[in-house]
Amino acid sequence: MSPALIALIVVAVVLVVLLIASIRIVREYERVVVFRLGRLRGARGPGLVLIIPFIERTRWVNLQVDTSDIPPQDLITKDNVTIRVEAAVFFRVVDPIKAVVAIRDYKHGVLRIAQTTLRATLGRRDLDDLLANQAEINVLVQETIDQSTEPWGVRVVKVETKDVGLPDTMRRAMARQAEAERERRAKVIAAAGEFEASRKLSEAADVIADSPGALTLRTLQTLAEVATEHNSTLVLPIPIDVLEMVKRAEDAPGRGARFERTT
């Protein structure tokens, strides 16, 4: 084999190796940031990407939504209540060049910004406001973090508060408050029922006053209801009007004399 043929084979093998080394397959949700001799050449992909071996360097960036758990944060609310908050932040890269050039590690940076923003935002809220308006506070935290990460080419999609830990003393106080509130509502409902019942009784008394026979019918109905219970004791209600008539008859003048003559 001649030296020229050997050299040709070697060159062909080197070219094939360089061609294989220059091929990059970039998936749809990825981008490749290319640097040529240290200078930025832009982002490439998706699909087949060719680079110059040994001259160009690449950094891969994932464009999918990523999530990170924010470590539990101990903070003091506006009304001086110590709580422990756990949350999660969802974010994605929208500008791969900024994500590579503007910051060394954008994931770590987003997590740190999320921690400080969470403490600062929740620390300006009362405990009742924090528990009642949790969704609104999550949106506020998300917008604040997004403003800080925009120069890095990262967009914060969502921030979710997973758990708000309260001290045992505060939980007992809130339980007592809730119990007192339920008792207050029960008393108000009972008072409203008594008021409504008194109005109905007043209306019934007016009906009975207009029709004296209604009282007798009601008395007989009450006796029938008592008799259905198979009781051995029968209570016979006497109208107050009858008692008043008897009393007036006893207090009438001359009754005592007539009684003496009879005896």
Side-chain angles (χ1 to χ4, degrees), residues 218-232:
R218 180 57 183 164
T219 302
L220 296 176
Q221 182 181 6
T222 303
L223 293 176
E225 293 176 355
V226 173
T228 56
E229 299 295 333
H230 303 287
N231 293 328
S232 59

Side-chain angles (χ1 to χ4, degrees), residues 6-158:
I6 295 175
L8 183 61
I9 294 175
V10 171
V11 171
V13 171
V14 171
L15 291 176
V16 171
V17 172
L18 292 177
L19 180 62
I20 295 175
S22 65
I23 295 176
R24 299 290 186 273
I25 304 297
V26 182
R27 287 169 286 194
E28 184 67 29
Y29 55 85
E30 293 177 334
R31 295 296 183 271
V32 174
V33 180
V34 180
F35 294 88
R36 180 179 299 171
L37 298 177
R39 297 182 63 86
L40 178 67
R41 303 302 299 175
R44 302 177 186 177
L48 181 64
V49 175
L50 297 178
I51 65 171
I52 302 175
F54 309 110
I55 296 178
E56 293 181 340
R57 294 291 184 267
T58 59
R59 288 280 303 273
W60 294 74
V61 180
N62 195 317
L63 303 183
Q64 292 175 309
V65 176
D66 199 355
T67 178
S68 294
D69 290 332
I70 302 177
Q73 301 295 307
D74 294 325
L75 54 93
I76 300 177
T77 60
K78 187 178 180 181
D79 50 352
N80 297 324
V81 178
T82 302
I83 60 176
R84 188 178 182 86
V85 181
E86 296 182 9
V89 56
F90 300 82
F91 58 93
R92 62 185 297 265
V93 176
V94 294
D95 191 337
I97 295 178
K98 291 182 179 179
V100 172
V101 176
I103 186 171
R104 181 176 181 179
D105 187 351
Y106 67 88
K107 292 184 179 180
H108 183 74
V110 169
L111 189 58
R112 293 302 182 187
I113 288 292
Q115 291 180 18
T116 56
T117 303
L118 186 66
R119 287 197 300 267
T121 303
L122 299 187
R124 295 193 296 266
R125 298 282 182 143
D126 294 333
L127 179 61
D128 294 339
D129 186 19
L130 191 151
L131 297 177
N133 303 316
Q134 190 170 352
E136 298 178 1
I137 295 176
N138 290 339
V139 174
L140 179 61
V141 174
Q142 177 256 322
E143 293 176 352
T144 306
I145 299 175
D146 188 57
Q147 293 177 358
S148 301
T149 59
E150 183 179 2
W152 306 338
V154 178
R155 176 175 299 170
V156 178
V157 179
K158 183 187 299 184

